[in-house]
Amino acid sequence: MSDPRIDIIRRLARRPNNPALGRTIQKSRAEDIASAFALLPLAAKKSIWNSIQDQEKAAEVLASIDEQELVEMVEYIGVAKIAMLLSLIEVDDATDIISELPVELQKKILSIMEEDDRTQVEDLLAFPEDSAGGLMHLDVLQCDSQSTCRDAINQLQTTKNVEMAFYLYIENQSQHLVGVISLRALLTHPPSTKLSDIMITDLITVHPEANQEDVAKLVSRYDLLALPVVDHSNRLLGLITVDDVIDVIQDIANKNMMLMAGMNEEQDPLNRHVFKAFQQRFTWLLITLIGGIGMAEMIGMFEGSLEANAALAGFIPVILGTGGNVGTQAATIAVRNIATGHLGGRGSFSLLFREARVGSLLGLSFALVLGSYVYFTGSPMLAIAISASIMVTVVSAAILGMLVPLTLNKINIDPAAATGPFVTTGIDLVAILIYFSTCRIIIP
Amino acid sequence: MSDPRIDIIRRLARRPNNPALGRTIQKSRAEDIASAFALLPLAAKKSIWNSIQDQEKAAEVLASIDEQELVEMVEYIGVAKIAMLLSLIEVDDATDIISELPVELQKKILSIMEEDDRTQVEDLLAFPEDSAGGLMHLDVLQCDSQSTCRDAINQLQTTKNVEMAFYLYIENQSQHLVGVISLRALLTHPPSTKLSDIMITDLITVHPEANQEDVAKLVSRYDLLALPVVDHSNRLLGLITVDDVIDVIQDIANKNMMLMAGMNEEQDPLNRHVFKAFQQRFTWLLITLIGGIGMAEMIGMFEGSLEANAALAGFIPVILGTGGNVGTQAATIAVRNIATGHLGGRGSFSLLFREARVGSLLGLSFALVLGSYVYFTGSPMLAIAISASIMVTVVSAAILGMLVPLTLNKINIDPAAATGPFVTTGIDLVAILIYFSTCRIIIP
């Protein structure tokens, strides 16, 4: 699934002093050039960078490359040149670039930026990166509600480039946001029409401190192209556009996937710091390792049963494995439904009840399959013990797997975060206890 | 994280003959009404439906509810009324609704739709739902390249409502798509300017048979608001808008998450057919159950070692668990990078090499932790055997976990689909073999 537009840049950049590289770069989009940076050696990155002639394109490339590459390039390019390039792009993109740099570099760059730009960047840096304020653009088309369509069109013709130039936001005389008009509506009404007569007043807005997950939900549910950010007096601060929200949605999806496997989102494979990756994963795996030692201790308590019947050991993996799988499925369903916001009112309860019923059916079937196998290859008593164990384990796994993320969500902990290690280790411990206790009771 | 806008509808709908419901429905957006349908009993759904007075809003609600609810409501409302409601919304939305219905219902509704609408719906139904053709809208603003800005604005003022009214697509005299102009550009150039002089010619387009994953990648990489769909002679067929792509991105994320836990995307919890859910999950879990029986057989071969040293059984869970976790992490990293398209050229190789190094570090650390525990609580020989086993298991798990999805992707099988069951079962079997063989060799 590699992309020819990106591959050709990569291939050309690997050969030093290649004149074809310059020609290709000139025809390439900034996004493709940025994608080509990933996984290339530093020398090749430098060749690509030096082949970009258009300064604005160069700045856009900086805005699109990954954090680690950005730091590398900023060090190579030097702060003076960077400050110049940042002045060529939108303030919010410049802010995004600056926010990814180490603090000392940030200070150096800010100190040589122009007064106006610096103040705006500093204002934006004050909002957390994952809040509505951190996502918003500052340049918004605004008009007074008493103006006419003609006034608005005149204003449009004289305004510099703005980010989302398809909507015109309308404020009243106290500068409160009161409505929105699409460019299309401006064109299809007589020039003397007052904006307040044709504006849409039923606006969806957010406050700057709203988190990015909620922003993504609003944009996706109401199919918005842009979402105005207002302060608590309903004054327009900025605008979040749908393209930034797409990035948020992909980030959230990645984060959930990584969290469920016990890694955090910074586990970026393009990040070459193997030792850092190891550290992050080790911490989480250590929990399960300690859980594993707990299990060894627990199994040790049943050493008598094991010495009397060594075949019992053989079924440990299948009991634990099936319990773990059913638990993970239940947790995934819960996390997914929390993420899509499908759980309101009694939703959690019906979800749990449904999962308990599916779990019972699964438990019964496994008891039947595994029980028959043991019956025909081992003893009837062992068959009963193992059937009972897997049945109870699977049902408990289904309920626990769903209950843990639902509970975490209720107490405002990210449900995906803790789902992996705790559910798995918890279910394993419960399963071992159920298995050996059942065996001890049933097999004399 | 429940939404008050939705919860209030749900609460009111549960009480029969509630006059407040009608008032709330009238003030609510179609998307919120549709969300409220989920998980409600049929009677409450009917009350909501009957409270919707605006016919167009009713049609929009139908377009937003889930498949199962849609079928339920269509049966309640009747085909004649449905056909009428479908004529009120965009053809592509109507097609989406029809495509979710059983074939007999589709035929009935199509047969009573008006000729014009029917032909368009039938044309759209011919494209697979998950292709660019299945995603596109048919109403696009088009203009001849020889027209002027004035002509274009006149045309805009007389065209009915279209889906993405911010871009005007330009075709030449042979009806080939040659450029695009934003509404803003129309406003900021003198009325007599020829469109061909100001249009942007560097267009990104797709063919109707492109799959939706590729559409999503293009829209997200280039921050597009709309993506034109053209045939192989470069004639404009339709337009894909960013709001539909957001749905695709969320579907893909959900699908990957569900697939990795061994469920398919139809595992919708709002779907109440417990038995169907059971069937789908059972099939996959059966594979791991059979793998588990294989493990029992394998452990049985080492019954001699187990009878001599029952403590060996205690470490089965931790060896399998750690191997499984590391394997899942590796697989998640691989799936994520395949999905984001970060793997081009030598990317797969560096990813694998990096994972092998992280795996070695993890294996070494676990060997140290677990070995020390066994050394102080058991025998030195057992400590060496268990350290060696966990080390080899973890490294194999890291490599296998990454290799399986990378290989599946190379041979064009969805890497997320097979990652869960096969990797887990495979790693488990390898781990058991490594563990007992090592123990037999090291412990006399």
Side-chain angles (χ1 to χ4, degrees):
Chain A
M1 298 275 291
S2 60
D3 187 318
R5 280 174 284 221
I6 298 167
D7 285 346
I8 188 165
I9 303 178
R10 280 212 180 114
R11 250 198 324 276
L12 293 172
R14 283 175 190 275
R15 285 183 244 146
N17 302 319
N18 193 334
L21 180 62
R23 289 193 297 274
T24 306
I25 292 291
Q26 216 176 329
K27 285 182 295 180
S28 297
R29 289 165 207 271
E31 293 89 349
D32 292 332
I33 302 175
S35 299
F37 265 69
L39 293 171
L40 275 184
L42 188 58
K45 286 180 194 159
K46 288 181 186 170
S47 312
I48 294 181
W49 179 260
N50 294 324
S51 309
I52 311 174
Q53 272 160 13
D54 178 349
Q55 299 288 302
E56 212 178 311
K57 195 190 263 184
E60 281 167 21
V61 169
L62 284 186
S64 299
I65 57 180
D66 287 324
E67 183 168 340
Q68 205 201 342
E69 261 119 28
L70 180 66
V71 177
E72 231 172 49
M73 292 318 291
V74 169
E75 278 162 9
Y76 170 62
I77 301 164
V79 284
K81 180 78 185 283
I82 291 286
M84 187 280 286
L85 289 173
L86 291 182
S87 70
L88 301 176
I89 52 176
E90 300 266 338
V91 176
D92 58 296
D93 289 333
T95 309
D96 287 344
I97 292 181
I98 292 176
S99 69
E100 290 188 6
L101 299 174
V103 180
E104 315 88 74
L105 263 181
Q106 290 189 4
K107 279 190 198 148
K108 268 193 215 160
I109 295 175
L110 281 170
S111 71
I112 50 176
M113 278 177 86
E114 274 176 44
E115 179 72 37
D116 256 24
D117 286 349
R118 184 173 65 235
T119 328
Q120 284 197 311
V121 169
E122 282 169 346
D123 285 352
L124 278 181
L125 279 176
F127 294 109
E129 227 186 311
D130 57 354
S131 70
L135 281 172
M136 71 185 177
H137 301 280
L138 293 176
D139 306 309
V140 189
L141 289 176
Q142 267 172 287
C143 237
D144 190 273
S145 60
Q146 297 308 307
S147 320
T148 61
C149 286
R150 187 184 298 109
D151 301 333
I153 292 177
N154 282 339
Q155 189 188 325
L156 266 175
Q157 288 170 339
T158 53
T159 324
K160 267 197 322 174
N161 221 358
V162 293
E163 186 77 22
M164 169 63 69
F166 300 117
Y167 293 116
L168 187 66
Y169 291 90
I170 315 295
E171 48 187 25
N172 65 13
Q173 259 137 3
S174 351
Q175 290 177 303
H176 295 154
L177 178 66
V178 290
V180 66
I181 292 177
S182 76
L183 247 58
R184 179 140 201 268
L186 279 188
L187 281 171
T188 51
H189 286 92
S192 58
T193 314
K194 252 217 234 158
L195 295 183
S196 59
D197 293 339
I198 54 167
M199 69 187 181
I200 294 166
T201 54
D202 181 22
L203 271 182
I204 296 170
T205 59
V206 279
H207 293 309
E209 66 275 12
N211 73 44
Q212 58 178 5
E213 277 86 353
D214 291 335
V215 169
K217 269 184 205 164
L218 286 176
V219 168
S220 125
R221 183 188 302 155
Y222 300 112
D223 289 345
L224 307 174
L225 290 178
L227 178 62
V229 181
V230 295
D231 67 15
H232 288 266
S233 327
N234 202 28
R235 271 185 302 249
L236 188 61
L237 298 176
L239 197 64
I240 297 174
T241 54
V242 68
D243 51 316
D244 294 321
V245 173
I246 285 193
D247 297 341
V248 170
I249 290 174
Q250 287 181 324
D251 287 351
I252 296 173
N254 279 335
K255 196 189 72 180
N256 279 343
M257 217 168 114
M258 300 296 272
L259 279 176
M260 290 197 71
M263 296 177 284
N264 68 23
E265 70 255 62
E266 271 138 47
Q267 273 292 345
D268 191 332
L270 308 175
N271 180 336
R272 294 237 180 65
H273 298 304
V274 169
F275 191 72
K276 220 167 143 192
F278 153 72
Q279 272 183 312
Q280 286 170 341
R281 279 162 69 176
F282 181 72
T283 323
W284 177 75
L285 287 167
L286 197 61
I287 301 175
T288 64
L289 196 68
I290 292 167
I293 291 176
M295 270 179 264
E297 290 288 340
M298 210 183 256
I299 295 175
M301 293 172 0
F302 296 96
E303 212 160 280
S305 310
L306 269 172
E307 272 161 7
N309 194 347
L312 285 183
F315 295 97
I316 296 175
V318 69
I319 303 260
L320 291 186
T322 313
N325 285 331
V326 171
T328 305
Q329 292 187 335
T332 305
I333 295 179
V335 169
R336 182 194 149 167
N337 279 278
I338 292 166
T340 52
H342 264 153
L343 294 180
R346 295 183 220 179
S348 314
F349 181 74
S350 20
L351 202 60
L352 188 63
F353 181 58
R354 180 179 179 275
E355 183 62 26
R357 283 186 296 162
V358 176
S360 308
L361 281 176
L362 287 173
L364 256 172
S365 320
F366 293 147
L368 222 68
V369 175
L370 207 58
S372 314
Y373 166 77
V374 179
Y375 182 82
F376 290 113
T377 61
S379 79
M381 285 323 267
L382 189 60
I384 294 172
I386 283 173
S387 297
S389 307
I390 200 157
M391 170 85 207
V392 180
T393 304
V394 165
V395 176
S396 321
I399 294 173
L400 270 179
M402 187 143 280
L403 218 47
V404 174
L406 288 178
T407 312
L408 288 176
N409 186 47
K410 269 268 182 324
I411 56 176
N412 280 323
I413 299 180
D414 186 338
T419 298
F422 291 107
V423 171
T424 318
T425 308
I427 289 175
D428 278 358
L429 284 167
V430 171
I432 287 286
L433 202 65
I434 292 172
Y435 177 50
F436 280 102
S437 312
T438 317
C439 289
R440 194 182 261 177
I441 294 167
I442 293 178
I443 305 173
Chain B
M1 297 271 294
S2 61
D3 187 319
R5 279 174 284 220
I6 297 166
D7 286 346
I8 187 165
I9 303 178
R10 280 213 179 112
R11 251 197 324 275
L12 293 173
R14 283 174 188 277
R15 286 184 241 143
N17 301 321
N18 193 334
L21 180 62
R23 289 193 297 274
T24 306
I25 291 291
Q26 215 176 330
K27 284 183 295 181
S28 298
R29 289 165 209 268
E31 294 88 350
D32 292 331
I33 302 175
S35 298
F37 264 69
L39 293 170
L40 275 184
L42 187 58
K45 286 179 193 161
K46 288 182 186 170
S47 315
I48 295 181
W49 180 260
N50 294 323
S51 308
I52 311 174
Q53 272 160 11
D54 179 348
Q55 296 290 302
E56 212 177 311
K57 196 189 261 184
E60 280 166 22
V61 169
L62 284 186
S64 300
I65 56 180
D66 286 321
E67 184 169 338
Q68 205 202 340
E69 261 121 27
L70 179 65
V71 177
E72 231 171 49
M73 292 318 290
V74 169
E75 278 163 9
Y76 170 62
I77 302 165
V79 285
K81 180 80 185 282
I82 291 286
M84 187 280 286
L85 290 173
L86 291 182
S87 70
L88 301 176
I89 52 176
E90 299 265 339
V91 175
D92 59 294
D93 288 333
T95 308
D96 287 345
I97 293 180
I98 291 177
S99 69
E100 289 187 7
L101 298 173
V103 181
E104 316 87 75
L105 264 181
Q106 291 190 1
K107 280 189 197 149
K108 268 193 216 158
I109 295 174
L110 282 170
S111 71
I112 50 176
M113 280 179 84
E114 272 176 47
E115 179 71 36
D116 257 24
D117 286 349
R118 184 173 65 234
T119 327
Q120 284 197 310
V121 169
E122 281 170 347
D123 285 352
L124 278 180
L125 278 175
F127 294 108
E129 227 187 310
D130 58 354
S131 70
L135 283 171
M136 70 185 178
H137 301 280
L138 293 176
D139 306 309
V140 189
L141 288 176
Q142 265 172 290
C143 236
D144 190 273
S145 59
Q146 296 309 305
S147 320
T148 61
C149 286
R150 188 185 298 111
D151 301 333
I153 291 177
N154 281 339
Q155 189 187 325
L156 267 175
Q157 288 170 337
T158 53
T159 324
K160 267 197 321 176
N161 221 356
V162 292
E163 187 76 22
M164 169 64 68
F166 300 118
Y167 292 117
L168 187 66
Y169 291 91
I170 316 294
E171 49 186 21
N172 64 14
Q173 260 137 3
S174 353
Q175 291 178 302
H176 296 153
L177 179 66
V178 290
V180 67
I181 292 176
S182 76
L183 245 59
R184 178 140 202 269
L186 278 188
L187 280 172
T188 51
H189 286 92
S192 59
T193 316
K194 253 218 236 159
L195 296 182
S196 59
D197 293 338
I198 54 169
M199 69 187 180
I200 294 165
T201 54
D202 182 22
L203 271 181
I204 295 171
T205 58
V206 279
H207 293 309
E209 65 275 13
N211 73 44
Q212 60 178 4
E213 277 88 354
D214 292 335
V215 168
K217 270 184 203 164
L218 286 175
V219 168
S220 124
R221 183 188 302 155
Y222 300 113
D223 289 345
L224 307 174
L225 290 179
L227 178 63
V229 181
V230 295
D231 67 14
H232 288 266
S233 326
N234 202 29
R235 274 185 300 248
L236 188 60
L237 298 175
L239 198 64
I240 298 173
T241 54
V242 68
D243 52 316
D244 294 322
V245 173
I246 286 192
D247 296 340
V248 169
I249 291 174
Q250 286 181 323
D251 286 349
I252 296 173
N254 279 335
K255 195 188 71 179
N256 279 344
M257 216 166 115
M258 299 296 271
L259 279 176
M260 291 197 70
M263 297 177 284
N264 67 24
E265 70 255 62
E266 273 136 44
Q267 273 292 347
D268 191 331
L270 309 175
N271 180 336
R272 292 236 181 67
H273 297 304
V274 169
F275 192 72
K276 221 168 141 191
F278 153 73
Q279 272 183 311
Q280 286 170 340
R281 279 162 70 176
F282 181 71
T283 323
W284 177 76
L285 288 167
L286 197 60
I287 301 175
T288 63
L289 195 68
I290 291 168
I293 291 177
M295 270 178 265
E297 290 287 338
M298 212 183 255
I299 295 175
M301 293 173 359
F302 296 96
E303 210 161 280
S305 312
L306 269 171
E307 272 162 7
N309 194 347
L312 285 184
F315 295 97
I316 296 176
V318 70
I319 303 261
L320 291 188
T322 314
N325 286 331
V326 172
T328 305
Q329 292 188 335
T332 304
I333 295 179
V335 168
R336 180 193 151 169
N337 279 278
I338 292 167
T340 52
H342 264 155
L343 294 180
R346 297 183 221 179
S348 314
F349 182 74
S350 23
L351 201 62
L352 188 62
F353 181 59
R354 178 178 179 277
E355 183 62 27
R357 284 185 296 163
V358 175
S360 308
L361 282 175
L362 287 172
L364 256 170
S365 322
F366 293 148
L368 221 69
V369 175
L370 207 58
S372 317
Y373 166 76
V374 179
Y375 182 83
F376 291 112
T377 61
S379 78
M381 287 320 270
L382 189 59
I384 294 173
I386 283 172
S387 297
S389 306
I390 200 157
M391 169 86 208
V392 179
T393 303
V394 165
V395 176
S396 320
I399 294 174
L400 269 180
M402 188 141 283
L403 218 47
V404 174
L406 288 179
T407 312
L408 287 177
N409 186 48
K410 270 267 185 313
I411 55 174
N412 281 321
I413 299 179
D414 188 337
T419 299
F422 291 106
V423 172
T424 319
T425 308
I427 289 175
D428 278 358
L429 283 168
V430 171
I432 287 284
L433 202 64
I434 293 172
Y435 177 49
F436 280 103
S437 311
T438 317
C439 290
R440 192 183 264 179
I441 295 167
I442 294 178
I443 304 172

